Amino acid sequence: MNWEAINATAQIISSLAVVGSLWYLAVQVNRSTRIAKLTAHDAAATALRDVTKQFSENVEIARIWRVGLENLDALSADDRARFYHAAFQFLKAMETIHFHYIYGLMDEQIWRGYWNLYRHYLASPGLEYYWRRRHELFSERFRTFADALDRPRQPLTVGNLLGDERERSSPVGGS
């Protein structure tokens, strides 16, 4: 065998090794991207679950949240303050989820579920009242998103999901 044949064989082997390395790298990047998306989804779900968990574990906080969503005037000053704290936590969880979606870390189908949840909750009188007064606590990107959401005429939240809470109360400052 001459040197040219040896050189050609070495180049072929080297080229195959490069192609193999690139294929392996692509597989690893794809796997890492999937893991990042799963981690982001889990973090988003955990953020919202951490906020809403208190509503299922504490009857008084659940009452404040449910009533406050529909009629802040029905709450005492102390209960309104608790509602505002819960509203901040809820909206921050929503902002985190939106952040994950914007950066491509969340599947479109999963995002649509959260998007629908946002539409309904941001249309509730109590959360809308809080949002109008405290929106500056959130990123400009999230504010733009939240303000542009098409809110349903009849939002379904834990405050009115059973249907009768809205009929028994009126929106803040409304009739």
Side-chain angles (χ1 to χ4, degrees):
M1 226 183 198
N2 64 28
W3 286 111
E4 288 179 20
I6 292 172
N7 187 29
T9 303
Q11 286 181 2
I12 290 171
I13 291 171
S14 176
S15 296
L16 290 174
V18 167
V19 168
S21 294
L22 290 175
W23 176 80
Y24 177 78
L25 183 61
V27 167
Q28 293 305 312
V29 167
N30 185 23
R31 184 173 293 153
S32 293
T33 301
R34 275 190 312 194
I35 290 170
K37 285 183 176 185
L38 290 171
T39 302
H41 170 66
D42 186 53
T46 299
L48 191 57
R49 196 170 34 247
D50 286 348
V51 172
T52 60
K53 183 179 179 186
Q54 63 184 329
F55 305 142
S56 65
E57 293 179 344
N58 185 313
V59 174
E60 186 59 16
I61 298 288
R63 181 194 64 78
I64 291 167
W65 181 247
R66 182 181 50 79
V67 172
L69 285 170
E70 294 303 313
N71 186 358
L72 285 171
D73 292 335
L75 297 175
S76 69
D78 287 339
D79 286 350
R80 275 195 305 274
R82 287 184 189 96
F83 176 83
Y84 296 151
H85 288 298
F88 174 77
Q89 292 171 1
F90 182 79
L91 289 167
K92 275 298 180 183
M94 290 171 58
E95 183 180 37
T96 299
I97 293 167
H98 179 253
F99 179 83
H100 288 307
Y101 174 71
I102 289 299
Y103 284 98
L105 297 173
M106 185 172 292
D107 183 77
E108 179 72 26
Q109 291 180 11
I110 293 170
W111 164 248
R112 281 291 160 197
Y114 288 118
W115 176 83
N116 230 348
L117 179 76
Y118 298 168
R119 290 177 56 239
H120 285 275
Y121 273 85
L122 282 172
S124 71
L127 205 53
E128 190 165 15
Y129 177 86
Y130 179 83
W131 177 255
R132 283 194 313 264
R133 280 147 188 80
R134 299 307 305 253
H135 65 271
E136 74 281 353
L137 300 176
F138 303 89
S139 69
E140 186 175 330
R141 181 179 291 148
F142 183 67
R143 290 192 314 253
T144 301
F145 161 74
D147 290 339
L149 271 176
D150 179 32
R151 288 162 171 76
R153 276 184 263 170
Q154 294 184 337
L156 296 176
T157 67
V158 72
N160 66 13
L161 200 52
L162 299 176
D164 60 344
E165 282 85 356
R166 184 175 277 282
E167 295 168 13
R168 289 185 283 159
S169 64
S170 62
V172 173
S175 50

